Amino acid sequence: MASSNVLRWLDGRGWLVLSGGGGQTGAVRAQALGRAAADGGVAYVSLGNHDGWSERALADMDGLGAPPGYIVDALTEDDRTLTALLAEAGIVVIEDGPDAAVLRSGLIGAAAAGIQTAFENGAVILAEGLSAMVFGAWVAKSAGELLPGLAWLENALVLPGVTSAAQSELAQNVLREHPAAIAVGVGVGSALALGPDGEVEAWGQRQVTVALGSDYTSPKGD
């Protein structure tokens, strides 16, 4: 695991970028392009293609000067093809959606394996909106039930669209149950970017907040 202060994330030569999503993604996408390696295209991971996300994302990234890209449908491609298409990408952009549990279901397995290979080889992984939650330790279903996430960001609950992690009721519940947990709020138009050499950066509107469980805040010896 790479680390910086309380944040620990998956080792790799690439960048993990957790975006708050929303309608203000341009600045974060532009910075992701600036960190990308010279080789490899852009893989746009579709998880239902809500509101024509794939085509809009591809057009937006093209307008920002992105290298050639291709759409990867994580819900319909066979596992071998899915893994191969993602592993060779220089940038992987992952669709936002209305249901974090559905996004989790589409990413866990072959998609996650291909994305991890790309990341280890130096790719920028840009998870937008609720897909960013899947890269934490927990994914919250709409009813509040927690499912295991990919845990690329260790012991973390990622809260896209939340500007104050400490004020989130979901975060408070998780931190109470898991004293070693952290909650990371990432506002709309913002992103938490984690680099290969321990870099921790706030991109876009830079609305990134962290709340800590009691293991971090209790006095030593308690």
Side-chain angles (χ1 to χ4, degrees), residues 25-217:
T25 56
V28 170
R29 287 175 173 177
Q31 286 191 262
L33 284 170
R35 299 299 167 89
D39 54 346
V42 184
Y44 299 90
V45 181
S46 171
L47 294 154
N49 199 26
H50 300 95
D51 300 322
W53 175 88
S54 300
E55 294 77 10
R56 289 188 293 103
L58 197 152
D60 182 52
M61 291 283 281
D62 279 350
L64 293 170
Y70 48 93
I71 297 169
V72 181
D73 191 331
L75 302 183
T76 62
E77 293 283 3
D78 66 88
D79 285 356
R80 180 174 297 181
T81 301
L82 182 58
T83 301
L85 287 172
L86 292 172
E88 65 189 18
I91 305 175
V92 179
V93 186
I94 306 170
E95 180 181 3
D96 190 1
D99 190 314
V102 172
L103 299 178
R104 170 190 180 273
S105 178
L107 287 172
I108 282 180
I115 293 168
Q116 182 169 340
T117 299
F119 176 72
E120 290 171 347
N121 291 336
V124 174
I125 311 303
L126 173 55
E128 298 188 332
L130 285 178
S131 69
M133 179 181 279
V134 181
F135 285 82
W138 298 280
V139 173
K141 297 178 68 172
S142 56
E145 178 188 350
L146 294 179
L147 300 172
L150 295 175
W152 282 31
L153 186 56
E154 189 176 84
N155 288 335
L157 173 69
V158 180
L159 298 166
V162 172
T163 55
S164 175
Q167 294 181 12
S168 162
E169 182 178 356
L170 175 59
Q172 292 170 10
N173 291 338
V174 170
L175 296 179
R176 189 161 43 245
E177 287 191 37
H178 303 277
I182 62 174
V184 181
V186 185
V188 170
S190 303
L192 172 65
L194 304 170
D197 297 314
E199 301 97 334
V200 176
E201 299 177 3
W203 290 2
Q205 296 186 20
R206 300 171 59 88
Q207 293 181 321
V208 178
T209 59
V210 176
L212 304 176
S214 60
D215 279 4
Y216 303 93
T217 58

